[in-house]
Amino acid sequence: MATEEGFIRGRLLVTCLDRPGLIAAVSNFLFNRGANIVTLDQYAEKPGQGMFFMRLEFDLPDSEGPLQRLEPAFQEVAERFQMRWQLTEASRRKRLGVFVSKEDHCLKELLWQCQTGEIPADIAVVISNHAVAEEAVRQFGIPFYHVPVTAENKAQAEDRALEIVSQVGVDVLVLARYMQILSPRMLGPWRNRIINIHHSFLPAFVGPNPYRQAFERGVKLIGATAHYVTEELDQGPIIEQDVRRIDHRHHVEDLRRLGRHLERMVLARAVRWHVEDRVVVHQNRTVVFP
Amino acid sequence: MATEEGFIRGRLLVTCLDRPGLIAAVSNFLFNRGANIVTLDQYAEKPGQGMFFMRLEFDLPDSEGPLQRLEPAFQEVAERFQMRWQLTEASRRKRLGVFVSKEDHCLKELLWQCQTGEIPADIAVVISNHAVAEEAVRQFGIPFYHVPVTAENKAQAEDRALEIVSQVGVDVLVLARYMQILSPRMLGPWRNRIINIHHSFLPAFVGPNPYRQAFERGVKLIGATAHYVTEELDQGPIIEQDVRRIDHRHHVEDLRRLGRHLERMVLARAVRWHVEDRVVVHQNRTVVFP
Amino acid sequence: MATEEGFIRGRLLVTCLDRPGLIAAVSNFLFNRGANIVTLDQYAEKPGQGMFFMRLEFDLPDSEGPLQRLEPAFQEVAERFQMRWQLTEASRRKRLGVFVSKEDHCLKELLWQCQTGEIPADIAVVISNHAVAEEAVRQFGIPFYHVPVTAENKAQAEDRALEIVSQVGVDVLVLARYMQILSPRMLGPWRNRIINIHHSFLPAFVGPNPYRQAFERGVKLIGATAHYVTEELDQGPIIEQDVRRIDHRHHVEDLRRLGRHLERMVLARAVRWHVEDRVVVHQNRTVVFP
Amino acid sequence: MATEEGFIRGRLLVTCLDRPGLIAAVSNFLFNRGANIVTLDQYAEKPGQGMFFMRLEFDLPDSEGPLQRLEPAFQEVAERFQMRWQLTEASRRKRLGVFVSKEDHCLKELLWQCQTGEIPADIAVVISNHAVAEEAVRQFGIPFYHVPVTAENKAQAEDRALEIVSQVGVDVLVLARYMQILSPRMLGPWRNRIINIHHSFLPAFVGPNPYRQAFERGVKLIGATAHYVTEELDQGPIIEQDVRRIDHRHHVEDLRRLGRHLERMVLARAVRWHVEDRVVVHQNRTVVFP
């Protein structure tokens, strides 16, 4: 939905305990600054008692901008309700750091959707423990770094990756079929900002080789799951999942082939939602505002 | 989501032209009466210019009730923004008048879901131009009227049906595979309150025998559509649609059988959304708040 | 697909090691008896090496019948290829013994679909450890037995159930949300003939309370699984699965409600496929001929 | 499914009137040449009366090859049953001629899937009435021809396209969002070999701008349809269709964006099935063997 001329589109995410007056307070705040609310989504776990989540998009007259000028005044509202909150400018495209190993279908989908604007973000850099994706990435004019990982150099390789990421400036890390487990020290500063695609319908088939596990269990649907990375493997908050039907004729190889489409679609949706500030994490679950 | 003790759950539907301050005005109004907003869904066609639609559920302290006491005060807010609005009490179950012909699968799904509470409504009466469904209906303790329709008695039959409906008191008419076309004079008083199930993915296969048409066209999916009835056959605002995959082995008979599941699910969802005040009609399209 | 007059519709299921000449041998056998093959589905795991599975429907002239007269002659073909095989008459409706506890939505779907013929089978008896479903079952003219189960009387209760089942004569046992675990001695004689519905997308959320587990893990789809019962809880061969999308607004109660539709559809499909002899079990996986 | 060493994988498609002995005759023929049937799919419209369709894959010992050596002998079988038939070698990849206009998402999906082998075919040439796709195509090492089309030069442009197609040698034409209507004289020689993607769930929304039509009708699902091109616009035999859910928040632009995913998936599936000889056309409907 296009922003009108003379306006800045802002996004506000709010999390706090539910109580009467929350929506009135926030909408008054915006109205008093001449802003028009474009979309408002909210969710109250348990009215009057549990958590309250809200996402707003609003158009602020240029004369009231830039957006940061709202922050000190909003801080007062926020304190009254003890809100966790975040204010972003919709037109500022987030920068992705993409990690990939040998299989490049998810990477390609991201390259493509960022180029066409379906994902409103820029891929700032691609880092891989293999060299295979290099040419495809360079064709898009995006820097590519080959950072091999072995049992011995794992720590140095992670340091190198973090150094690159910090040099180019990145908002989100996307593991687009990156077959290395990140060490916990990488997770801290990136909490809820590393998105992984797992090639199963989690929590079924955790760990490596989920398609083989799916084949052996004889399931009738295969799935893919995009989630934030946490210390526990494949246990982080789920952002998006999808499945497709298979049958007895599909061998492990067929599941891999069919699953590739699922994986790229599910990951692309999760990344789009994240960069549009639609995802709020609360206690290992996500609220995704549509 | 259960209402807390000591509270009344209200629902407010609002339609008007979008402009700044709408959400602030409504949320202030509720806050000032001690109400807590439980869910708020809104949709602005084109921010600052087009139509604005909003649905709220809120918990009002018993001491402020009953709900109607809010109406005069809210009327002032409404006038300021030239709102079309509607205020209902969530706990007041709507009453359905169900019309059916020979095929009773949609009727049975409604009987069932109203009984289990999945559709929070009561079937007040079932009217049919055939007698086949009588026993099934009576088992649920619901009045059944057999009102045969012929080319000659069509007008009288409609009069009779309207008379029954008005005697038992009904909020919504549901055509659960009722194979008669209602005459325009029936539609006026019931605008946007008659829900029909059509056994195709509209606008494909308008009119009778959509499964035969689907078979002959060789489509790979069949569908069902729940819509409000208007003067033009099968052209009213669509509330819900769904499809399922078929293949070359499915003859017309198979499509009928498979379609029955679609029809009952699609109709049941549409009826549930209607009785929960989730559907707003605007220019032959519906806004359905989830 | 209707059988022509003057013919008997037969079904043949064959499992053996794959080798050249299998289809020729079986189709010659049938052709030489004047039979016309109506459908033939086969699946070779790994051509020339692995297992071979085949399902045929054929129309045999009445003059060649009854079907059993084919058996001795076919046994010769079968021995040549070391086939496991089964020959059934399509018009002979299988008899179901349905077990249910308190939740009756799956039972009702079966009652309904058996009545309309969508599932071409007869419910011979319903056995429950609770009395709640009694009236609904009797309305269909089907015998209902209330066999309470306690920690103390579990063995006797199973004896009683088996006795009933053997008296009325049953081909398949269907656990339509029967919240008791069958003891292993019941499984032997009924191997691959007891169908259970589990209210999750197995292998995720084994055991009791899968909807709570699903809610807590924050999945974005819930599922249901119909499978044959084996000694290991929820580990038997999967016949059918399906899922539906949920989101953060759905509490455990909503998952239960939404899941009921999945459960009844998935179980009904699995039962239909079983009674139409479409399911072959091989090493904890099923081949389902469509 | 890989062919074993020492064997040629053949595919046989057969269409004729159903009568007893068909499968026996074909399977005997193959068995007598040492072939092992890998998959057999058949479909009888109406057993003993209507049409019969069959697709076989079989492994023929190299010593019996090449495949064409079977043709004269099979012709005898075929004549006995008045079959229309076709015998192809699975390893011979078909050559695609792809037509595209400005929107290149379907083209890209084909380039990609042909490269990874998901579609076992080669893109022999890309022809476009615009120059935009040129670079993307050349990166894959595939010849690209820019053949502008105007009201005046339409006939010459088609001649030029046909000349190119005939020079490079092509088995199938794929209209991957080619916004020109082919003139009837192009269709004759390519009957059932031109695949088009239409951006609606046909027969709904024939003609240009289906997403606008879908928006205006207020449908709750959008679709895409892959079909063979015939003289009547958007009326040819349907190969594949799919849909996805939308809601009131989706404007025409959103439908276009969401539809692109559908279009590329649906077209890619249809092309894969065609090049694997899975599609048989009969009276404006398709039989698609899975």
Side-chain angles (χ1 to χ4, degrees):
Chain A
M1 218 182 274
T3 318
E4 275 182 274
E5 220 164 308
F7 290 86
I8 309 159
R9 174 74 46 94
R11 285 185 200 137
L12 178 62
L13 278 177
V14 164
T15 308
C16 60
L17 281 169
D18 189 34
R19 59 177 161 116
L22 275 164
I23 296 177
V26 174
S27 54
N28 284 337
F29 173 85
L30 290 171
F31 179 55
N32 292 334
R33 269 137 203 93
N36 188 29
I37 294 173
V38 173
T39 64
L40 184 160
D41 288 289
Q42 55 73 252
Y43 167 61
E45 263 189 338
K46 216 177 155 181
Q49 306 176 35
M51 295 302 295
F52 171 85
F53 306 89
M54 183 161 61
R55 178 186 186 270
L56 290 119
E57 294 205 1
F58 57 89
D59 283 349
L60 186 74
D62 278 346
S63 55
E64 294 282 324
L67 217 55
Q68 296 93 294
R69 275 178 52 196
L70 296 185
E71 297 192 351
F74 189 75
Q75 184 57 27
E76 288 175 36
V77 179
E79 275 168 17
R80 194 151 25 108
F81 292 94
Q82 299 184 293
M83 293 173 176
R84 250 172 49 206
W85 61 284
Q86 171 194 317
L87 190 64
T88 53
E89 201 175 314
S91 65
R92 188 211 167 270
R93 289 164 74 92
K94 290 195 179 55
R95 293 169 64 77
L96 313 181
V98 181
F99 285 71
V100 67
S101 290
K102 283 186 187 164
E103 293 211 63
D104 64 357
H105 53 283
C106 287
L107 168 65
K108 276 188 181 155
E109 189 72 33
L110 295 175
L111 286 166
W112 195 352
Q113 293 204 18
C114 286
Q115 191 185 46
T116 62
E118 290 178 64
I119 296 176
D122 296 311
I123 299 183
V125 64
V126 176
I127 297 173
S128 179
N129 55 335
H130 294 278
V132 286
E134 176 151 14
E135 203 197 312
V137 172
R138 293 210 190 279
Q139 281 178 2
F140 282 80
I142 291 169
F144 176 91
Y145 292 88
H146 178 200
V147 182
V149 181
T150 62
E152 293 76 37
N153 82 345
K154 193 170 165 71
Q156 296 100 294
E158 285 192 347
D159 287 342
R160 175 75 185 119
L162 284 175
E163 190 187 29
I164 295 165
V165 156
S166 120
Q167 271 167 13
V168 299
V170 158
D171 298 293
V172 200
L173 300 184
V174 182
L175 311 187
R177 298 286 263 140
Y178 184 62
M179 303 285 93
Q180 296 287 328
I181 295 170
L182 301 189
S183 59
R185 66 190 180 118
M186 272 197 79
L187 303 181
W190 292 95
R191 180 152 318 276
N192 296 339
R193 292 194 298 147
I194 311 179
I195 299 172
N196 183 48
I197 181 75
H198 183 74
H199 37 315
S200 85
F201 181 78
L202 287 176
F205 311 133
V206 162
N209 246 327
Y211 290 127
R212 171 154 297 283
Q213 293 181 62
F215 175 78
E216 280 167 6
R217 182 61 187 92
V219 291
K220 299 298 183 186
L221 301 162
I222 53 167
T225 303
H227 64 95
Y228 290 113
V229 176
T230 58
E231 280 76 6
E232 282 182 89
L233 185 65
D234 300 334
Q235 302 293 318
I238 292 169
I239 306 168
E240 171 63 339
Q241 304 190 285
D242 214 342
V243 297
R244 61 154 289 161
R245 197 160 275 278
I246 55 165
D247 67 37
H248 58 268
R249 290 166 309 189
H250 295 109
H251 285 250
V252 179
E253 277 317 305
D254 300 306
L255 304 192
R256 282 203 185 97
R257 173 174 59 79
L258 296 167
R260 281 201 287 264
H261 292 284
L262 274 180
E263 294 163 29
R264 52 194 180 114
M265 291 308 162
V266 167
L267 180 60
R269 286 205 290 270
V271 170
R272 184 159 63 81
W273 295 340
H274 180 95
V275 301
E276 292 179 352
D277 302 310
R278 297 183 181 282
V279 190
V280 184
V281 176
H282 183 65
Q283 292 181 337
N284 214 43
R285 308 175 73 242
T286 61
V287 172
V288 180
F289 291 115
Chain B
M1 216 182 275
T3 318
E4 275 182 275
E5 220 164 309
F7 289 86
I8 309 159
R9 174 75 45 95
R11 286 185 200 135
L12 178 61
L13 278 177
V14 163
T15 309
C16 60
L17 280 169
D18 189 34
R19 60 176 159 119
L22 275 164
I23 296 177
V26 174
S27 53
N28 285 336
F29 173 85
L30 291 171
F31 178 55
N32 292 334
R33 268 134 204 95
N36 188 31
I37 294 174
V38 173
T39 64
L40 183 159
D41 288 288
Q42 53 75 250
Y43 166 62
E45 262 189 338
K46 216 176 153 182
Q49 304 176 37
M51 296 302 295
F52 171 86
F53 307 89
M54 183 160 63
R55 178 185 187 272
L56 290 118
E57 295 204 359
F58 57 90
D59 283 351
L60 186 75
D62 278 346
S63 54
E64 294 283 323
L67 217 53
Q68 297 94 292
R69 275 178 51 196
L70 296 185
E71 296 191 354
F74 189 74
Q75 184 56 30
E76 288 176 37
V77 180
E79 276 167 18
R80 192 148 29 105
F81 292 94
Q82 298 184 291
M83 293 173 176
R84 251 174 47 208
W85 61 282
Q86 171 195 316
L87 191 63
T88 53
E89 201 175 314
S91 66
R92 188 210 167 270
R93 289 164 73 95
K94 291 195 179 53
R95 292 169 64 78
L96 313 180
V98 180
F99 286 70
V100 68
S101 291
K102 282 185 187 162
E103 294 211 62
D104 65 356
H105 52 283
C106 287
L107 168 65
K108 276 188 180 154
E109 188 73 33
L110 294 176
L111 286 166
W112 195 352
Q113 292 203 20
C114 287
Q115 191 185 46
T116 63
E118 289 177 65
I119 296 176
D122 295 313
I123 299 182
V125 65
V126 176
I127 296 173
S128 180
N129 55 337
H130 295 278
V132 285
E134 177 153 13
E135 202 196 314
V137 172
R138 293 211 190 277
Q139 281 177 3
F140 282 81
I142 292 168
F144 176 92
Y145 291 88
H146 178 199
V147 182
V149 181
T150 63
E152 294 74 37
N153 82 343
K154 194 171 164 69
Q156 297 100 295
E158 285 191 350
D159 286 342
R160 173 79 182 116
L162 284 175
E163 189 187 30
I164 295 165
V165 156
S166 119
Q167 273 167 11
V168 300
V170 157
D171 299 291
V172 200
L173 300 184
V174 181
L175 311 187
R177 299 285 263 138
Y178 184 61
M179 303 285 94
Q180 295 288 329
I181 296 172
L182 301 189
S183 59
R185 67 192 179 116
M186 272 196 79
L187 303 181
W190 293 95
R191 181 151 318 276
N192 297 339
R193 292 194 297 148
I194 311 179
I195 300 173
N196 182 48
I197 180 76
H198 183 74
H199 37 317
S200 83
F201 181 78
L202 287 175
F205 312 133
V206 163
N209 244 329
Y211 290 127
R212 172 155 297 283
Q213 294 181 62
F215 174 78
E216 280 166 7
R217 182 61 188 89
V219 291
K220 300 297 186 187
L221 301 163
I222 54 167
T225 303
H227 64 93
Y228 290 113
V229 175
T230 58
E231 281 76 5
E232 283 183 88
L233 185 65
D234 299 335
Q235 302 294 318
I238 293 170
I239 306 168
E240 171 64 338
Q241 304 189 285
D242 214 342
V243 296
R244 62 154 290 159
R245 196 160 278 276
I246 56 165
D247 66 38
H248 57 268
R249 290 167 308 190
H250 295 109
H251 286 252
V252 180
E253 276 318 305
D254 301 306
L255 304 192
R256 281 202 188 100
R257 173 174 58 79
L258 297 167
R260 282 202 285 266
H261 292 284
L262 275 180
E263 294 164 29
R264 53 193 179 114
M265 290 307 162
V266 167
L267 180 61
R269 286 205 291 270
V271 170
R272 183 159 61 80
W273 294 340
H274 179 95
V275 301
E276 291 179 352
D277 303 309
R278 297 182 181 281
V279 190
V280 183
V281 175
H282 183 64
Q283 292 181 338
N284 214 43
R285 308 175 74 242
T286 61
V287 172
V288 180
F289 290 116
Chain C
M1 218 182 276
T3 318
E4 276 181 275
E5 219 164 311
F7 289 86
I8 309 160
R9 174 74 46 94
R11 288 187 199 132
L12 178 62
L13 278 177
V14 163
T15 308
C16 60
L17 281 169
D18 188 36
R19 59 176 161 119
L22 273 163
I23 295 176
V26 174
S27 54
N28 284 336
F29 173 85
L30 290 171
F31 179 56
N32 292 334
R33 268 136 205 96
N36 187 29
I37 295 173
V38 172
T39 64
L40 183 160
D41 288 289
Q42 54 74 251
Y43 166 61
E45 263 189 335
K46 215 176 155 181
Q49 305 175 34
M51 296 302 296
F52 171 86
F53 306 89
M54 184 161 60
R55 178 184 186 273
L56 290 118
E57 294 205 1
F58 56 89
D59 282 349
L60 187 74
D62 279 346
S63 56
E64 293 283 324
L67 217 56
Q68 297 92 293
R69 274 178 51 197
L70 296 186
E71 295 191 353
F74 189 74
Q75 183 56 30
E76 287 175 37
V77 179
E79 275 168 17
R80 194 149 29 102
F81 292 93
Q82 298 183 293
M83 294 172 177
R84 251 172 47 208
W85 61 283
Q86 170 195 317
L87 192 63
T88 54
E89 203 175 312
S91 66
R92 188 212 167 270
R93 289 165 74 93
K94 290 194 180 54
R95 293 169 63 77
L96 312 181
V98 180
F99 285 70
V100 69
S101 292
K102 282 185 187 163
E103 294 212 60
D104 64 356
H105 52 283
C106 288
L107 167 66
K108 275 187 180 155
E109 188 72 34
L110 295 175
L111 286 166
W112 195 353
Q113 292 204 18
C114 287
Q115 191 186 45
T116 62
E118 290 177 64
I119 295 175
D122 296 313
I123 300 183
V125 65
V126 176
I127 296 173
S128 180
N129 54 337
H130 295 279
V132 285
E134 176 152 14
E135 203 197 312
V137 172
R138 293 212 189 278
Q139 281 177 1
F140 282 80
I142 292 168
F144 175 92
Y145 291 88
H146 178 199
V147 182
V149 181
T150 62
E152 293 74 40
N153 82 345
K154 193 169 165 68
Q156 296 98 298
E158 286 191 348
D159 287 342
R160 175 74 183 120
L162 285 176
E163 191 188 30
I164 295 165
V165 156
S166 119
Q167 270 167 13
V168 300
V170 158
D171 299 292
V172 200
L173 300 184
V174 181
L175 311 187
R177 299 285 265 140
Y178 184 61
M179 302 287 92
Q180 294 288 329
I181 296 170
L182 302 188
S183 60
R185 66 192 180 116
M186 273 197 77
L187 303 181
W190 292 95
R191 181 152 315 277
N192 298 338
R193 292 192 298 148
I194 310 179
I195 299 173
N196 182 46
I197 180 75
H198 184 74
H199 38 316
S200 83
F201 181 78
L202 287 175
F205 311 132
V206 162
N209 246 326
Y211 291 127
R212 172 155 295 284
Q213 294 181 62
F215 175 78
E216 280 166 5
R217 182 61 187 92
V219 292
K220 299 298 184 185
L221 302 162
I222 53 167
T225 304
H227 64 94
Y228 290 114
V229 176
T230 59
E231 280 77 3
E232 281 182 89
L233 185 65
D234 300 333
Q235 302 293 318
I238 293 170
I239 306 168
E240 171 63 337
Q241 303 188 286
D242 214 340
V243 295
R244 65 154 287 161
R245 196 161 278 275
I246 55 165
D247 66 38
H248 57 268
R249 290 167 307 190
H250 295 108
H251 285 252
V252 179
E253 276 318 305
D254 301 306
L255 304 192
R256 280 202 188 99
R257 173 175 59 83
L258 296 167
R260 281 201 286 265
H261 292 284
L262 274 180
E263 294 164 29
R264 52 193 179 114
M265 291 308 162
V266 166
L267 180 61
R269 287 206 289 272
V271 170
R272 183 161 61 83
W273 294 341
H274 179 95
V275 299
E276 291 179 352
D277 303 309
R278 297 183 180 281
V279 189
V280 184
V281 176
H282 182 64
Q283 290 180 341
N284 214 45
R285 307 175 75 242
T286 61
V287 172
V288 180
F289 290 116
Chain D
M1 217 183 274
T3 320
E4 275 182 274
E5 220 164 310
F7 289 86
I8 308 160
R9 174 75 45 95
R11 288 187 199 131
L12 179 62
L13 278 177
V14 163
T15 309
C16 59
L17 282 168
D18 189 35
R19 60 179 159 115
L22 274 163
I23 296 176
V26 174
S27 54
N28 285 336
F29 172 85
L30 290 172
F31 179 55
N32 291 336
R33 269 135 203 97
N36 187 30
I37 294 173
V38 173
T39 64
L40 183 159
D41 288 288
Q42 54 75 252
Y43 167 61
E45 262 188 337
K46 215 176 155 183
Q49 306 176 37
M51 295 302 296
F52 172 85
F53 306 89
M54 183 161 61
R55 178 185 186 272
L56 290 119
E57 294 204 2
F58 57 89
D59 284 349
L60 187 73
D62 279 345
S63 56
E64 293 283 324
L67 217 56
Q68 296 92 293
R69 276 179 52 196
L70 297 185
E71 296 191 355
F74 189 74
Q75 184 57 29
E76 288 177 35
V77 180
E79 275 167 18
R80 192 147 31 103
F81 292 93
Q82 298 183 294
M83 293 173 178
R84 248 173 50 208
W85 61 282
Q86 170 196 316
L87 191 63
T88 54
E89 202 174 313
S91 66
R92 187 210 167 271
R93 288 164 74 92
K94 290 196 180 52
R95 292 168 65 77
L96 313 180
V98 180
F99 286 69
V100 69
S101 292
K102 281 186 187 161
E103 293 211 61
D104 65 357
H105 53 282
C106 287
L107 168 65
K108 276 189 180 154
E109 188 73 33
L110 294 176
L111 285 167
W112 195 354
Q113 292 204 19
C114 286
Q115 190 186 45
T116 62
E118 288 176 64
I119 297 175
D122 296 313
I123 298 183
V125 65
V126 176
I127 296 173
S128 180
N129 55 337
H130 294 278
V132 286
E134 176 152 14
E135 202 197 313
V137 173
R138 292 214 191 277
Q139 280 177 3
F140 282 80
I142 291 169
F144 176 91
Y145 291 88
H146 178 199
V147 182
V149 181
T150 63
E152 294 74 40
N153 82 344
K154 194 171 164 71
Q156 297 100 296
E158 285 192 347
D159 287 344
R160 175 75 183 118
L162 285 174
E163 189 187 30
I164 295 165
V165 155
S166 119
Q167 271 167 12
V168 300
V170 158
D171 299 293
V172 200
L173 300 184
V174 182
L175 310 187
R177 298 285 264 139
Y178 184 62
M179 302 288 93
Q180 295 288 328
I181 296 170
L182 301 189
S183 60
R185 67 192 178 116
M186 273 197 78
L187 302 180
W190 292 95
R191 181 153 315 277
N192 297 339
R193 291 193 299 148
I194 310 180
I195 299 172
N196 183 46
I197 181 75
H198 183 74
H199 37 315
S200 84
F201 181 78
L202 286 175
F205 311 132
V206 162
N209 245 328
Y211 290 128
R212 172 154 296 283
Q213 294 181 62
F215 175 78
E216 280 166 6
R217 181 63 188 91
V219 291
K220 298 298 184 187
L221 301 163
I222 53 167
T225 304
H227 64 94
Y228 290 114
V229 176
T230 59
E231 279 76 4
E232 283 183 89
L233 186 64
D234 300 333
Q235 301 294 320
I238 293 170
I239 307 168
E240 171 64 339
Q241 304 188 285
D242 214 341
V243 296
R244 64 153 287 158
R245 195 160 278 275
I246 55 166
D247 66 38
H248 58 268
R249 290 166 308 188
H250 295 108
H251 286 251
V252 180
E253 276 317 304
D254 301 307
L255 305 191
R256 281 203 186 98
R257 173 174 60 82
L258 296 167
R260 281 202 285 268
H261 293 283
L262 275 179
E263 295 164 28
R264 53 193 179 115
M265 291 308 162
V266 166
L267 179 61
R269 287 205 290 270
V271 170
R272 182 160 62 82
W273 293 341
H274 179 95
V275 300
E276 291 179 351
D277 303 309
R278 296 184 181 280
V279 189
V280 183
V281 176
H282 182 65
Q283 291 179 340
N284 214 43
R285 308 175 74 245
T286 61
V287 172
V288 180
F289 290 117

